[in-house]
Amino acid sequence: MDLRKIKKLIELVEESGISELEVKSGEEAVRIVRSGATQPAAVTQPTTKAAEPAVAVPSARATIKAPMSGTFYRSPEPGAAPYISVGDEVASGAVVCIIESMKMMNEITALEGGRCVEILVMDGEPITTGQALIRIG
Amino acid sequence: MTPDYIKVDQLLTRLIEKQSLQANAFAEHELDWNALGLVVRSDRLMLAPGTQLLEQDRVAARLDTAAAAWLQELKIWRAVDSTNKRLMELAESCSVDGMVHVAELQIQGRGRRGRAWFSPFACNLAVSAGIGIALEPSALGGLSLAIGLAGADCLARSGLDVELKWPNDLLVNGAKLGGILIEVVRRPAGVEAVIGIGMNVEVAESVRRQIDQPVVDLRQLGVTTHRSELVADLLGAVYRRVRAFEQTGFASMVGEFNQRHAFHGQRALLLQGEIELEGVVCGVSPGGELKMQTADGEKQFSAGEVSLRKL
């Protein structure tokens, strides 16, 4: 099971809104748990005797939190490509999402660079101050 | 001297270049030039009689000293996709503090999340101002309401008293006179805000019919102030409100806002996506949130659209 496949699975879980997904493929198994703010997105359980390189989604080093309450948007405008998706490399200072608060569109930037491990909020979802939005690994 | 006409083909080219109107749209539909504030004479578009074009000198002459010191550049577009969009693009490569873009004709005026803001030629105000604010993004709560007050300040100078619909629509007798959209960019020290304000100066009847809500314009309300002077008044007011906001936040403006607050004390609906909440509008918080008395007690909201409950 390669990283690309796992990334796809994570996206699938995110889109569907189901809370947990376990996929077995030969001797390997991966379990993806959609969690709240505290757990990493994916928990891999290599059941092989390390025949293949262990596949592990890096744990998050940084969590981008909402500096204000409002509505979370992944793209600059409806129909436009999202700023980032799970698996993307994010440069320090890059815009990762927009929070609309009282007709003010706030660009939210990544304080440190890394790979986007998890997007915890759905596009258009209301959020509160301090809520974890995006995990960077 | 400002020219009193624009070649039809030049304007068409510009419109099509911006891709907001496809070439075939012109062939299939007769474009309502009157709605754009223009009169067709052979191959030329003439300005409607009495049209007030935006003039640099006239803005400069009216602008107060503090705002004049802040202003770096005033760009007047004949036609542009969106003044906010121009400034936001500029903000990717440089500071936009003191940069102001205004347009005679705005094709893709940006409202909230891409909602169109119809702006015919020289009939409205479309002003976008870039301004540096020495505050963290988390301290910007209520800024958009403060800018609503700036809109009210600007119009007060022309003798007009407006109401503000949370968070910052400008209303007169329940009809929309103007709207505001702010886009915020993070900077090493604080932020830069691109503040976009649209205001109806003179809306043709044919345009009015295309808008899905009651609208009102300044000329109807007896305000005759030249568009260029309104731009200057608006910039002065925005500059003052932003500097005051930097010092004390929105907290010091809550009283003023509540006095102008549309639907205050009335039963209204708050629409948040699919969710509809009902309650009595009871003011705004120091952070700019809407306060409503609901069945579950007093609640504060930072997102949603307020409308009067239909009886």
Side-chain angles (χ1 to χ4, degrees):
Chain A
M1 209 178 286
D2 65 7
L3 214 60
R4 237 188 4 248
K5 202 161 179 182
I6 293 178
K7 188 185 148 192
K8 261 265 160 325
L9 287 173
I10 293 173
E11 282 170 4
L12 204 73
V13 170
E14 271 191 321
E15 280 164 21
S16 68
I18 58 171
S19 58
E20 196 171 321
L21 175 75
E22 190 163 0
V23 177
K24 281 193 178 131
S25 167
E27 291 183 291
E28 279 185 310
V30 62
R31 190 160 63 92
I32 297 159
V33 183
R34 222 176 107 88
S35 59
T38 51
Q39 284 173 295
V43 181
T44 55
Q45 292 185 320
T47 56
T48 59
K49 299 149 234 132
E52 283 180 34
V55 182
V57 173
S59 60
R61 281 189 293 111
T63 301
I64 299 169
K65 291 182 178 166
M68 73 276 295
S69 62
T71 309
F72 175 86
Y73 291 114
R74 285 182 60 183
S75 60
E77 46 199 279
Y83 287 107
I84 56 161
S85 298
V86 171
D88 287 357
E89 284 298 327
V90 181
S92 162
V95 177
V96 293
C97 66
I98 280 185
I99 296 176
E100 179 192 353
S101 183
M102 297 174 261
K103 276 200 200 164
M104 191 158 65
M105 300 297 181
N106 300 279
E107 286 187 354
I108 307 301
T109 53
L111 287 180
E112 50 183 297
R115 204 168 64 82
C116 173
V117 177
E118 191 180 11
I119 298 172
L120 300 151
V121 189
M122 305 284 277
D123 189 55
E125 200 177 300
I127 47 150
T128 55
T129 308
Q131 186 173 341
L133 305 174
I134 294 164
R135 291 182 176 282
I136 303 290
Chain B
M1 270 299 286
T2 41
D4 62 351
Y5 66 85
I6 299 169
K7 288 275 229 177
V8 173
D9 56 352
Q10 280 178 7
L11 183 63
L12 288 185
T13 310
R14 278 176 131 150
L15 289 167
I16 294 161
E17 263 172 10
K18 300 298 177 194
Q19 290 182 337
S20 64
L21 293 170
Q22 298 300 318
N24 60 11
F26 291 98
E28 284 172 19
H29 309 283
E30 203 131 306
L31 198 67
D32 188 351
W33 294 112
N34 287 327
L36 289 177
L38 300 163
V39 180
V40 184
R41 295 253 185 288
S42 71
D43 72 330
R44 285 180 170 186
L45 290 175
M46 310 294 290
L47 295 175
T51 302
Q52 297 176 344
L53 288 180
L54 295 166
E55 296 162 48
Q56 291 273 359
D57 296 349
R58 212 154 173 165
V59 176
R62 175 94 161 192
L63 198 60
D64 68 42
T65 346
W70 153 76
L71 185 68
Q72 296 290 315
E73 189 202 357
L74 173 67
K75 176 145 184 71
I76 300 176
W77 295 89
R78 289 257 175 261
V80 72
D81 46 359
S82 148
T83 50
N84 253 45
K85 202 166 172 177
R86 291 296 110 229
L87 272 181
M88 283 301 284
E89 276 188 22
L90 210 56
E92 285 173 20
S93 55
C94 66
S95 163
V96 290
D97 186 26
M99 311 274 247
V100 175
H101 285 206
V102 295
E104 300 288 15
L105 173 63
Q106 197 177 216
I107 300 155
Q108 286 181 339
R110 274 214 249 196
R112 226 192 116 255
R113 291 306 284 172
R115 275 189 205 173
W117 176 259
F118 204 93
S119 178
F121 197 89
C123 293
N124 288 336
L125 281 188
V127 181
S128 292
I131 185 161
I133 305 174
L135 291 173
E136 290 300 305
S138 56
L140 296 179
L143 176 65
S144 59
L145 285 75
I147 301 305
L149 282 169
D153 296 342
C154 156
L155 294 170
R157 187 163 173 191
S158 292
L160 185 67
D161 208 18
V162 298
E163 291 188 314
L164 296 169
K165 189 182 95 166
W166 184 87
N168 56 18
D169 277 351
L170 307 173
L171 302 186
V172 174
N173 297 324
K176 186 157 171 172
L177 178 66
I180 294 164
L181 180 80
I182 304 175
E183 297 181 76
V184 178
V185 181
R186 190 85 171 87
R187 294 296 189 218
V191 298
E192 279 184 4
V194 170
I195 296 172
I197 304 176
M199 230 182 254
N200 302 327
V201 179
E202 190 160 18
V203 182
E205 194 46 47
S206 53
V207 175
R208 209 177 283 272
R209 280 196 297 268
Q210 295 172 34
I211 304 172
D212 61 355
Q213 59 177 315
V215 290
V216 67
D217 67 50
L218 290 177
R219 300 301 181 236
Q220 266 182 302
L221 295 165
V223 174
T224 54
T225 315
H226 193 280
R227 289 169 72 238
S228 303
E229 291 175 341
L230 288 168
V231 169
D233 290 353
L234 204 48
L235 293 177
V238 164
Y239 184 79
R240 274 192 303 277
R241 287 287 176 180
V242 168
R243 291 286 91 97
F245 184 89
E246 229 169 19
Q247 296 302 311
T248 55
F250 179 65
S252 62
M253 306 177 201
V254 170
E256 275 179 282
F257 191 94
N258 282 339
Q259 272 181 6
R260 293 194 178 274
H261 198 178
F263 313 152
H264 202 79
Q266 294 184 63
R267 186 158 284 278
L269 287 179
L270 181 72
L271 197 67
Q272 288 186 315
E274 313 264 286
I275 309 161
E276 222 177 50
L277 290 142
E278 196 186 317
V280 175
V281 174
C282 53
V284 293
S285 76
E289 289 107 342
L290 175 74
K291 294 201 286 187
M292 266 172 87
Q293 191 69 42
T294 70
D296 303 326
E298 191 183 292
K299 291 263 168 77
Q300 294 192 0
F301 303 97
S302 60
E305 286 279 319
V306 191
S307 63
L308 269 191
R309 188 172 138 70
K310 289 182 196 79
L311 295 170

